[in-house]
Amino acid sequence: MGERVCGLLGRKLGHSWSVPIHEALGCEGYRLIELEPEDLASFLRRADIGGLNVTIPYKRDVMPLCGEIDPAAADIGSVNTIVRGADGVLRGYNTDIDGFIYMARRAGITLAGKKVVVLGTGGASLTAQAAARRAGAREIAVISRSGPDNYGSLHRHADAEVLVNTTPVGMYPGNGAAPVDLTAFPACRGVLDVVYNPRRTALLLQAEELGTPCCDGLPMLVAQAKRAEEHFTGRAIPDSENERILSQLRREMGNIVLIGMPGCGKSTVGRLLSDLTGREAVDIDQQIALRAGCSIPEIFARGGEAEFRALEREETARAGALTGKILLTGGGAVKTPANYGALRQNGRIYHLLRDLGTLPTDGRPLSQGADLGAMWRQREPLYRRFRDVTMDNNGPAEDTAAAIWRDFCEHSGD
């Protein structure tokens, strides 16, 4: 037999990160396989199928097409991994549960003895429910759009201790949406979201703000892929591979975000970072000017700061949804609270510090003739609220760029 077909089977797969994960695990030729429902059965009859992962909407549809179903997958009621054995039999497994357990453990969230509320009823929900049962959860409530446990009756589950989102709400390109408000669950001590793009959904950003342990779905995706590869190849893969690949993906997909006072050197440091890393630098002020068809001073002259901030918020939302970029913000971006979520969702935020006396003011409408000391006193708490790291930029900009890249490589996986 020739080369075996390995890949991810689904209907719409443009958002998937499975290819780089499986390539990092040594599966060359892994690809995305998009099929319409009427083509599913004929595809699975192919003799050259090696190993397949299965995603929405086919995790249950493939089960009757498999010759054998692993007991754990049968218990869950969902298959996400298929292997054609040497005997030609298609065998179905569920490795999502391995990934889910890994995600929860990595976040320090325990399910034993807890009331677990699962949002959604699809294949990922079945996995979360099975993991909660296996862990010994005290109670499991599944929330759907209809039925007795629905989004209109969430008050019945205000005592939830762990919340799991298995819906696509908040997933790219629907960034910024949240399925629930966490303040409705005052007893919640852990939030798990199977969405992995963006890294921090609106739900997870709120969990961070409330100090609630939480995790996105990328660790689950990586860990289930590692287990699937073990089924594909019949060989064990060290668990350390999960962290290696996770760190690699975090570094490749994360944004480096620069904030700071007007004239503090964001553009210069951003350009140097772009040269150093090969990443595209996205200047949000430039994007605003392009969209408006005029310069920033002309926007201020035409519609004042209010028009500029509205444009800035829209362009920040667009830029923040990107991955693997360097984002350069305007000095006053921190004045709009919504910009925090947009920048933080995929980014590590660096605050550049420079002596006020060295800040240029030409071409900066709010800096010209302004008391920079007063501006700093107003904005410093906002910079503090936004930033992950401070970086002194009073020395050579090359040194600042190098320091940011070192920090990002070390901590982007945190």
Side-chain angles (χ1 to χ4, degrees):
M1 185 183 295
E3 184 177 343
R4 300 193 312 163
V5 174
C6 291
L8 176 66
L9 181 62
R11 194 170 188 185
K12 301 294 181 183
L13 301 173
H15 66 280
S16 176
W17 290 3
S18 290
V19 171
I21 293 173
H22 282 270
E23 287 179 343
L25 286 163
C27 186
E28 296 182 5
Y30 190 94
R31 57 192 175 93
L32 302 180
I33 304 166
E34 294 186 345
L35 293 178
E36 292 301 311
E38 60 269 21
D39 300 321
L40 189 62
S42 60
F43 179 82
L44 289 177
R45 287 195 291 269
R46 289 178 53 159
D48 60 348
I49 288 175
L52 299 173
N53 290 116
V54 185
T55 189
I56 297 171
Y58 298 135
K59 290 186 179 184
R60 284 181 272 194
D61 294 347
V62 299
M63 294 183 73
L65 302 174
C66 292
E68 293 181 10
I69 302 292
D70 180 73
D75 177 60
I76 295 169
S78 173
V79 160
N80 82 312
T81 299
I82 297 175
V83 179
R84 189 178 295 285
D87 56 4
V89 175
L90 283 182
R91 292 179 173 85
Y93 304 89
N94 190 302
T95 65
D96 279 338
I97 192 166
D98 301 275
F100 186 91
I101 292 170
Y102 178 81
M103 169 178 63
R105 183 173 67 243
R106 191 177 190 273
I109 296 172
T110 59
L111 306 178
K114 303 290 179 60
K115 176 170 181 176
V116 179
V117 168
V118 180
L119 307 178
T121 58
S125 173
L126 296 175
T127 299
Q129 294 172 53
R133 288 195 302 269
R134 182 183 295 185
R138 183 183 82 255
E139 181 182 349
I140 303 169
V142 180
I143 309 300
S144 63
R145 284 175 289 188
S146 59
D149 287 320
N150 58 64
Y151 292 93
S153 61
L154 284 175
H155 60 277
R156 298 171 51 195
H157 303 290
D159 57 341
E161 295 165 281
V162 177
L163 187 78
V164 183
N165 178 43
T166 68
T167 78
V169 176
M171 183 174 73
Y172 179 88
N175 304 50
V180 295
D181 181 349
L182 290 178
T183 60
F185 305 95
C188 185
R189 296 296 179 267
V191 178
L192 299 170
D193 194 335
V194 301
V195 172
Y196 57 86
N197 182 18
R199 177 179 178 180
R200 299 174 187 89
T201 59
L203 184 70
L204 295 183
L205 286 168
Q206 188 182 25
E208 284 187 348
E209 185 178 357
L210 295 172
T212 304
C214 60
C215 189
D216 67 298
L218 190 58
M220 176 179 173
L221 183 69
V222 171
Q224 70 80 24
K226 195 269 287 187
R227 183 70 184 109
E229 280 293 328
E230 291 178 331
H231 286 302
F232 292 173
T233 64
R235 62 179 177 83
I237 300 174
D239 286 344
S240 59
E241 284 295 273
N242 287 333
E243 290 302 313
R244 180 184 71 82
I245 295 169
L246 187 58
S247 294
Q248 175 184 320
L249 289 173
R250 295 287 200 214
R251 185 169 60 252
E252 291 175 358
M253 303 300 184
N255 293 328
I256 297 172
V257 182
L258 305 185
I259 64 172
M261 287 282 283
C264 69
K266 297 184 293 293
S267 297
T268 300
V269 172
R271 174 177 51 79
L272 292 168
L273 274 168
S274 182
D275 293 341
L276 179 65
T277 66
R279 293 172 170 235
E280 178 187 5
V282 178
D283 188 316
I284 294 174
D285 275 358
Q286 287 183 1
Q287 296 302 309
I288 294 168
L290 284 172
R291 183 178 174 192
C294 60
S295 68
I296 301 296
E298 287 171 331
I299 295 173
F300 270 84
R302 181 181 67 193
E305 186 175 0
E307 179 181 347
F308 175 77
R309 295 297 173 210
L311 290 169
E312 181 182 60
R313 176 176 177 173
E314 293 173 7
E315 291 304 319
T316 301
R318 288 188 176 89
L322 302 174
T323 58
K325 307 296 184 183
I326 299 164
L327 305 185
L328 314 179
T329 67
V334 295
K335 295 177 67 176
T336 304
N339 289 342
Y340 174 75
L343 297 171
R344 173 69 174 158
Q345 62 181 333
N346 285 320
R348 186 165 172 83
I349 303 176
Y350 294 86
H351 179 196
L352 301 190
L353 297 173
R354 195 170 183 179
D355 292 342
L356 296 182
T358 66
L359 299 182
T361 60
D362 290 346
R364 295 176 169 85
L366 295 182
S367 296
Q368 289 180 333
D371 181 341
L372 293 182
M375 181 184 290
W376 168 254
R377 288 189 293 274
Q378 178 196 47
R379 294 185 181 181
E380 191 278 334
L382 305 177
Y383 290 131
R384 193 180 336 122
R385 161 78 175 88
F386 272 57
R387 72 192 180 201
D388 293 302
V389 185
T390 58
M391 283 287 170
D392 185 284
N393 193 36
N394 285 294
E398 292 83 356
D399 293 350
T400 305
I404 289 172
W405 182 238
R406 284 195 302 271
D407 177 88
F408 184 79
C409 290
E410 183 177 352
H411 295 288
S412 57
D414 293 350

